[in-house]
Amino acid sequence: MELFQLLLSGLASGCVYGLIALGFVLIYKATEAINFAQGDMMMFGAFITIWLTNSGYNNLPFLFSVPLMILIMGAFGFLIERIFLRQVIGQSQIAIAILTIALGFVLRFIAGAIWGHEPHFLESPMVGKNIYLNGAVLGLAEIFVIIVTVLLTVLLYFFFAKTKLGIAMVAASQNQLAAFYVGIPVKRVQSLTWVIAGILAGIAGMLFSAKGSVDPITGLLGIKAFAAAVIGGFGSLPGALIGGLIIGLIEPFSGRYLPSGFSHLVPYIVLVLVLILRPHGLFSQISHKKV
Amino acid sequence: MISKEVILRVENIESYYGPIMALKGVSLQVQKGSIVSVLGANGAGKTTLMKNISGVMDPEKGRIFLENESVEGTEADILVRKGVAHVPEGREVFPMLTVEQNLLMGAYTRSDKKEIRYDMELFCSYFPILKTRFEQMALTLSGGEQQMLAIARGLMSKPKILLLDEPSLGLSPKLVKEIFGILNRLNKDQGVTILLVEQNAKAALDIADFGYVMELGRIVLDGKSSELSEAKDIQEFYLGANQESQLGQKRWKNRKTWR
């Protein structure tokens, strides 16, 4: 039964990593830029959810504050692209990477200035509630995280596989030039990608705050999500989610069965192994252009 | 089939890549229902000309008219809506999308679902191989099939004019013949107006009604394609008429008459 509990908590944190990794991959595919602020955007989403929901702040009902947070984070992603990223289009990848790293710092300090540096907890309806199943104690928050992630994944799958706009976004990420030629408004598609990445970060933050404490440096776990994206093969959406789950599962199990201190090391050992044995990641999509 | 109505008129456009002047005042016009081909060697500025017309590049000077509406400097996606479809050099399909999705993306600017399906069937009947590959990813297609997909995708936007950039690139002579035959049929049955850029002068002149010859950013010769294929210069320099004997090389005065 202990195994089951470890599995559940691993899956739950894996879902959060996976959603952040999804944000990395989406933006990378659409704009060929890596948004190192994705983890900090997640932190920001968490704080906005807390700010809207908690009794000490706005005290809105949870079911109302979540859609509001999604709107805010969507607009937030849109504005970041418009104000900052669009200025550096055509610059080198390093310039864009440094810009997003700086954005991450700025977000961390803004969050610290507004909400302080002590840990915050989300007062969600799931807090402290458990389900008892054959002697196992399962946190309702963790089950909530997994269910929301599954629903979101299904939604995203349908969007990218079935809707015209979704296919156009995939198309533009595969061949930007050809997207121009068939009349897809590529710039608008890139804005939309940032909106979706903002929303994903917001939902990841909401889920993260539903099962643990949040402070301004929480966003640094974006590094683990980055590792997840690399393990999955940067550029593959299902790969990002599965990479996230792998990292999420490794942590509680290595924490339980390995000597103390090693649990934080193992995800990166896996990352290095994947990079050595399968440099393109587990689920890479490599296309060859025919001449 | 060819009407007097002019679909596309390019007037004296100049275009630069940084400090390099790629187009030095190019003018041409395309009549509705015709096939017009632009011939020229590598680096003559053919592709640049196409990019300027389809809005991927903006001309520095000069004007471009689409059915009497001035369109130079318009964004590429707006120009697709206005009726310019550009099939770029080297195919440029969406590699990880299926053939069907690629075709759907060609119709991105349209919203008439039934008509889109109808057109998909119609154009697939011209390129039957696409129908058999409908669910496959475009990257699994051969070079010739990808070229057919790119052309069909261009047609899916129901363009007033189809810009084709080197459809023969990297294809076997047999496939070139096949594709040009299909283009000819599309032009005759469906009335598709085509502006064709080619190095393969013979194939291009065979289906074209009118031709232009470009060199170093200028148009140096134009005429009906029947006249062009007969012109001595064209025969020598593009169609490979046998003059390259020792005697021929000595007669340096007989070099190109333009320039």
Side-chain angles (χ1 to χ4, degrees):
Chain A
M1 278 305 100
E2 188 197 3
L3 209 65
F4 195 57
Q5 278 170 344
L6 287 176
L7 192 72
L8 192 74
S9 82
L11 282 179
S13 45
C15 285
V16 175
Y17 297 148
L19 288 180
I20 304 173
L22 216 53
F24 275 120
V25 173
L26 268 178
I27 289 178
Y28 176 71
K29 285 186 77 162
T31 66
E32 289 182 359
I34 295 172
N35 173 27
F36 284 103
Q38 191 71 23
D40 299 290
M41 282 165 72
M42 183 280 287
M43 176 273 297
F44 219 69
F47 266 112
I48 285 176
T49 318
I50 290 172
W51 178 67
L52 290 171
T53 316
N54 280 14
S55 49
Y57 293 106
N58 286 310
N59 202 14
L60 294 173
F62 188 62
L63 283 180
F64 184 72
S65 67
V66 169
L68 200 58
M69 177 277 293
I70 289 176
L71 276 181
I72 293 173
M73 287 306 289
F76 186 68
F78 179 80
L79 288 178
I80 286 191
E81 199 267 347
R82 263 301 148 83
I83 298 172
F84 299 108
L85 271 294
R86 199 160 280 194
Q87 311 307 318
V88 292
I89 281 182
Q91 304 285 336
S92 71
Q93 292 232 0
I94 306 262
I96 297 173
I98 288 176
L99 174 71
T100 60
I101 291 173
L103 269 176
F105 273 101
V106 171
L107 286 182
R108 240 169 279 157
F109 289 126
I110 290 177
I114 301 178
W115 294 294
H117 291 273
E118 60 279 5
H120 281 65
F121 296 87
L122 174 65
E123 293 165 10
S124 75
M126 285 83 61
V127 161
K129 288 184 185 146
N130 293 320
I131 292 176
Y132 298 94
L133 198 77
N134 292 342
V137 188
L138 310 175
L140 193 60
E142 286 169 345
I143 295 170
F144 171 72
V145 169
I146 294 170
I147 290 173
V148 170
T149 307
V150 169
L151 289 180
L152 199 60
T153 310
V154 171
L155 200 71
L156 281 174
Y157 171 78
F158 271 99
F159 178 67
F160 285 118
K162 302 290 170 197
T163 67
K164 186 169 140 186
L165 188 59
I167 298 175
M169 288 179 75
V170 178
S173 78
Q174 289 176 10
N175 192 337
Q176 213 174 80
L177 195 64
F180 263 118
Y181 285 127
V182 299
I184 295 171
V186 176
K187 278 185 186 160
R188 232 179 300 161
V189 162
Q190 293 187 346
S191 294
L192 186 63
T193 310
W194 273 84
V195 170
I196 294 178
I199 291 173
L200 278 177
I203 292 176
M206 182 266 287
L207 297 178
F208 186 82
S209 62
K211 67 181 192 60
S213 71
V214 185
D215 59 50
I217 57 163
T218 300
L220 290 178
L221 68 80
I223 298 294
K224 277 185 207 160
F226 185 74
V230 174
I231 287 175
F234 230 99
S236 151
L237 296 182
L241 269 176
I242 292 169
L245 290 180
I246 291 174
I247 299 253
L249 283 172
I250 286 171
E251 274 184 334
F253 281 98
S254 57
R256 173 69 186 80
Y257 295 110
L258 289 178
S260 64
F262 278 85
S263 70
H264 293 296
L265 197 58
V266 179
Y268 300 104
I269 293 176
V270 172
L271 172 66
V272 170
L273 282 179
V274 167
L275 286 180
I276 292 171
L277 300 174
R278 245 188 97 84
H280 296 293
L282 297 177
F283 299 89
S284 61
Q285 302 174 315
I286 305 166
S287 67
H288 299 282
K289 189 174 165 183
K290 289 204 176 86
V291 177
Chain B
M1 283 299 270
I2 306 171
S3 74
K4 282 268 188 301
E5 200 184 326
V6 175
I7 290 264
L8 177 77
R9 199 166 77 245
V10 175
E11 287 182 357
N12 275 316
I13 59 168
E14 295 181 4
S15 188
Y16 294 80
Y17 288 103
I20 300 158
M21 195 177 192
L23 296 180
K24 303 169 182 170
V26 172
S27 302
L28 57 78
Q29 64 174 30
V30 179
Q31 281 164 333
K32 191 175 181 180
S34 65
I35 299 182
V36 172
S37 70
V38 178
L39 311 176
N42 279 330
K46 304 180 305 284
T47 299
T48 314
L49 172 65
M50 296 298 244
K51 284 183 177 169
N52 274 284
I53 295 171
S54 70
V56 178
M57 284 174 74
D58 292 336
E60 207 82 1
K61 281 187 190 154
R63 316 207 65 185
I64 300 170
F65 294 93
L66 185 69
E67 290 187 319
N68 294 323
E69 183 192 354
S70 159
V71 295
E72 69 274 1
T74 311
E75 290 282 328
D77 57 300
I78 309 284
L79 269 169
V80 177
R81 282 172 204 275
K82 286 186 189 291
V84 178
H86 185 167
V87 179
E89 194 174 7
R91 272 88 76 186
E92 303 290 352
V93 294
F94 299 117
M96 316 284 284
L97 295 187
T98 62
V99 168
E100 183 187 12
Q101 286 173 325
N102 265 279
L103 292 174
L104 276 177
M105 283 298 105
Y108 182 82
T109 51
R110 299 166 59 186
S111 48
D112 42 346
K113 274 194 175 163
K114 265 190 190 156
E115 304 280 308
I116 290 174
R117 282 285 153 194
Y118 174 81
D119 286 344
M120 206 182 272
E121 289 294 320
L122 176 71
F123 295 130
C124 281
S125 71
Y126 283 89
F127 301 101
I129 194 81
L130 294 182
K131 192 79 209 174
T132 64
R133 303 262 189 274
F134 220 47
E135 301 294 329
Q136 288 184 21
M137 279 197 219
L139 73 106
T140 64
L141 267 54
S142 73
E145 289 162 0
Q146 286 189 10
Q147 184 63 61
M148 294 182 190
L149 176 59
I151 294 172
R153 191 186 63 189
L155 289 165
M156 285 300 293
S157 66
K158 283 247 156 177
K160 289 176 185 143
I161 180 164
L162 183 70
L163 310 180
L164 284 177
D165 199 345
E166 298 250 359
S168 73
L169 186 79
L171 301 184
S172 69
K174 183 165 172 273
L175 259 172
V176 172
K177 211 173 169 193
E178 189 184 339
I179 286 183
F180 276 67
I182 294 170
L183 289 177
N184 202 15
R185 273 173 50 218
L186 278 164
N187 172 257
K188 296 286 171 301
D189 319 342
Q190 305 294 329
V192 181
T193 309
I194 298 174
L195 177 61
L196 176 71
V197 152
E198 260 302 336
Q199 292 199 39
N200 187 337
K202 186 177 181 332
L205 288 177
D206 275 351
I207 65 164
D209 304 297
F210 204 85
Y212 293 87
V213 178
M214 270 185 91
E215 219 168 73
L216 298 172
R218 285 197 182 83
I219 289 190
V220 290
L221 200 65
D222 61 65
K224 287 194 176 127
S225 47
S226 50
E227 293 165 7
L228 281 183
S229 12
E230 244 132 73
K232 212 173 175 193
D233 298 333
I234 301 286
Q235 288 197 340
E236 257 180 62
F237 290 98
Y238 292 103
L239 302 179
N242 196 7
Q243 268 252 326
E244 297 303 310
S245 62
Q246 269 189 325
L247 187 67
Q249 276 171 1
K250 272 182 196 163
R251 290 158 61 190
W252 54 273
K253 273 188 180 169
N254 224 356
R255 293 268 157 131
K256 292 179 227 182
T257 50
W258 62 81
R259 265 218 284 223

